[in-house]
Amino acid sequence: MAAAKKAVQAEANDEPTTFEFKGVEFTIPAPMDLSAEVLEVIEDGAGETKIMKAIIGEEQWAAYKGLRCTIREFGEFAEKIAEAAGFGNPGN
């Protein structure tokens, strides 16, 4: 829950949130600084993968893909993104 508390504090201070996954640090912009693409993919009913990609951006998505994760690990990664972005649990 430390990450959730960190996300709440970052949102209150309008700051980005960072988290580590498999030894790589990822940064999520403050909620109001997320790309408008996030709203588009959510409104379009896009899948979880497209939403996560929109949140972290192309460069960080490429870093994630370079980790060659399993489907199970994607679920763990998506949870970290959702928590860092202040969204709670993804898709559940």
Side-chain angles (χ1 to χ4, degrees):
M1 280 302 159
K5 194 179 245 186
K6 187 177 175 183
V8 169
Q9 182 179 7
E11 182 176 1
N13 295 331
D14 200 32
E15 298 172 343
T17 303
T18 59
F19 67 90
E20 189 175 306
F21 184 76
K22 294 185 78 171
V24 177
E25 186 173 275
F26 293 88
T27 301
I28 307 299
M32 296 306 288
D33 292 333
L34 287 168
S35 167
E37 181 183 5
V38 174
L39 295 175
E40 291 176 2
V41 297
I42 290 171
E43 288 175 356
D44 289 345
E48 188 176 359
T49 304
K50 287 185 179 183
I51 293 169
M52 296 302 125
K53 183 178 177 182
I55 291 171
I56 65 172
E58 293 288 334
E59 188 175 309
Q60 292 188 106
W61 184 252
Y64 167 75
K65 285 180 62 176
L67 296 173
R68 308 213 20 99
C69 294
T70 64
I71 293 170
R72 181 185 325 273
E73 290 170 322
F74 173 77
E76 294 166 6
F77 184 64
E79 286 178 19
K80 286 186 173 268
I81 291 173
E83 191 173 271
F87 296 148
N89 287 336
N92 293 345

